[in-house]
Amino acid sequence: MHSALRRIQAICLKEFIQLRRDKLTFGMVVMIPLVQLLLFGYTINTDVRHVPIAVVDHAQNQYSRLLIEDIKASQVVNVTAFYSSPAQIMHQLRAGSIAAGLVIPRDIQTRIEHQSAQPVAHFIVDGSDTVMASALKSLSLMPITSSNGERSQSFSSGITVELLYNPEQRAALFTVPGLLGVILTMTLTVFTAIAIVRERERGNMELLIATPVKTLELMVGKLIPYVIIGLIQVGIVLLLGKLLFQLPFIGSLSLLFSCCLLFIFANLGLGLFISTRAVNQLAAMQLAIFVLLPSILLSGFMFPYQAMPVFAQWLAELLPMTHFIRLARGIILRGAEWPDLIAEMSFLAGFFMLTLGLALRGFKKRLD
């Protein structure tokens, strides 16, 4: 019995030594629970705050200013812009730069003083995000402040709400465009993350070194099959989304495929970068999952972007899936066009160029 315990102790000691020498695995053991705790703790939050809205104030008087201050005091919204017409609000909603617009009529004073049946204001809300739309709808129930400072809920229609792009608030319309991003990230990043490592482990790197193939040619050759796979996945998801969930496809299909292609390249570039840094396939898989988790939690796929703390929003801006989900929802649900999407598309293109450059630099065309 004593000998058995000593042998078990020796094996345990050996495992600890191996774990200490494997810096990547040791780092993952420490970082994964730490990152998961921080991400889950801060991002699993449906308490929406500081949603960007614009205001069209036709009245420009004390009553309209009181109404705007009351709405701002709820902390649900931030007034980020003032426009002169509802048409400008519609344009900004389609571009995705605001989540809602508040239109205040010229006769708001008469409506409040006489407690008219007509609404004192009208909210135009982007309904493509169902959680955020529900938070904005709750503002229609807020009491209205009169000129003498009294607050009343006696109006039959205080603030009316008009939901655009998803008036039925169907969860599928919000989820399916995001699922497209999750599927592409999950498959393409993992596939390419093990691409170079697998060649090294199988001994194929010796054959590649003996050929005149250059580093860039090897990378491009690795990418092309996965680009085709990614486009097939896009076609399958969009077809099933149309047939099973009745996705509306308001925008251009060719523009959507162009954005998907940029996102595919961004994921492949990230996968290649991971592949040139990982020492084996297991490590490559771990690193890919390490990227996938924050992509799902921080991108706005599951939880509202506006409900996250500021530092989580900064992290989210570094993730390709955050930008792709904005693109996909914008084109599919709101009919967004090229000029509205330049910033997000430029990020995806720049991300691909950066990760490909880092992968080329990190690739060592030699045997370990």
Side-chain angles (χ1 to χ4, degrees):
M1 184 65 182
H2 181 68
S3 300
L5 290 176
R6 291 187 61 183
R7 289 193 292 272
I8 292 173
Q9 182 183 7
I11 294 297
C12 288
L13 181 61
K14 169 184 168 295
E15 288 298 317
F16 277 119
I17 292 173
Q18 283 187 334
L19 185 62
R20 188 186 63 184
R21 291 175 177 173
D22 187 353
K23 295 181 179 178
L24 179 61
T25 302
F26 185 77
M28 297 292 285
V29 168
V30 176
M31 291 302 296
I32 284 182
L34 179 63
V35 171
Q36 285 183 341
L37 176 65
L38 293 175
L39 289 181
F40 280 106
Y42 280 108
T43 60
I44 299 179
N45 182 12
T46 56
D47 188 16
V48 179
R49 288 285 184 271
H50 309 300
V51 176
I53 70 166
V55 174
V56 174
D57 186 359
H58 290 301
Q60 299 281 342
N61 58 23
Q62 178 187 359
Y63 290 84
S64 63
R65 287 190 287 272
L66 278 173
L67 178 62
I68 294 171
E69 290 304 318
D70 283 346
I71 291 176
K72 288 166 64 177
S74 70
Q75 298 185 8
V76 175
V77 301
N78 274 348
V79 178
T80 57
F82 286 86
Y83 297 122
S84 58
S85 71
Q88 292 174 294
I89 286 181
M90 298 296 288
H91 175 73
Q92 295 301 322
L93 282 173
R94 189 183 62 183
S97 57
I98 59 173
L102 179 68
V103 181
I104 301 175
R106 297 182 188 279
D107 58 345
I108 182 175
Q109 179 177 353
T110 304
R111 297 186 185 191
I112 290 178
E113 289 181 347
H114 295 84
Q115 298 194 0
S116 168
Q118 293 181 299
V120 298
H122 182 62
F123 247 128
I124 306 173
V125 177
D126 175 8
S128 58
D129 187 330
T130 54
V131 177
M132 193 167 58
S134 297
L136 292 171
K137 281 178 66 177
S138 67
L139 294 177
S140 65
L141 304 175
M142 63 178 289
I144 305 299
T145 304
S146 61
S147 60
N148 57 11
E150 296 180 353
R151 296 167 69 88
S152 172
Q153 287 181 310
S154 60
F155 297 96
S156 58
S157 304
I159 301 176
T160 55
V161 177
E162 177 185 4
L163 290 178
L164 302 180
Y165 311 125
N166 185 11
E168 300 172 352
Q169 291 194 274
R170 292 169 51 207
L173 300 190
F174 175 70
T175 306
V176 173
L179 271 177
L180 177 60
V182 173
I183 291 170
L184 291 175
T185 301
M186 188 179 298
T187 55
L188 298 180
T189 303
V190 172
F191 287 165
T192 48
I194 62 176
I196 302 297
V197 182
R198 184 175 53 202
E199 299 288 0
R200 190 182 299 133
E201 288 186 344
R202 291 180 178 177
N204 294 338
M205 194 61 72
E206 298 176 17
L207 299 176
L208 292 173
I209 290 175
T211 67
V213 176
K214 297 180 180 178
T215 302
L216 181 60
E217 295 168 347
L218 175 62
M219 295 286 182
V220 173
K222 288 284 184 186
L223 289 183
I224 290 176
Y226 297 113
V227 172
I228 297 172
I229 291 172
L231 289 175
I232 292 173
Q233 289 179 328
V234 171
I236 292 173
V237 172
L238 294 181
L239 180 61
L240 292 180
K242 181 66 176 178
L243 294 177
L244 301 180
F245 302 103
Q246 291 80 47
L247 280 182
F249 291 108
I250 297 174
S252 165
L253 197 59
S254 60
L255 178 58
L256 178 60
F257 266 91
S258 300
C259 294
C260 289
L261 190 61
L262 281 175
F263 184 57
I264 288 170
F265 276 116
N267 278 314
L268 295 180
L270 177 61
L272 279 179
F273 172 67
I274 292 174
S275 187
T276 56
R277 294 298 189 274
V279 294
N280 52 47
Q281 293 190 53
L282 176 61
M285 290 282 291
Q286 290 175 328
L287 285 173
I289 293 173
F290 192 72
V291 173
L292 180 62
L293 182 64
S295 295
I296 293 175
L297 292 178
L298 300 179
S299 62
F301 166 64
M302 295 179 65
F303 307 106
Y305 178 86
Q306 285 77 11
M308 301 176 194
V310 175
F311 83 91
Q313 293 181 357
W314 290 346
L315 287 177
E317 293 296 331
L318 300 176
L319 301 171
M321 201 161 90
T322 303
H323 300 270
F324 175 73
I325 286 180
R326 291 172 185 165
L327 291 170
R329 286 175 179 160
I331 296 171
I332 294 174
L333 301 179
R334 300 195 302 269
E337 299 176 350
W338 284 97
D340 306 324
L341 310 173
I342 290 297
E344 314 294 346
M345 295 176 72
S346 299
F347 175 86
L348 293 180
F351 186 89
F352 169 65
M353 297 302 294
L354 174 64
T355 50
L356 181 63
L358 292 174
L360 288 171
R361 186 176 179 182
F363 179 72
K364 298 177 180 177
K365 194 178 176 182
R366 62 175 176 77
L367 290 174
D368 289 330

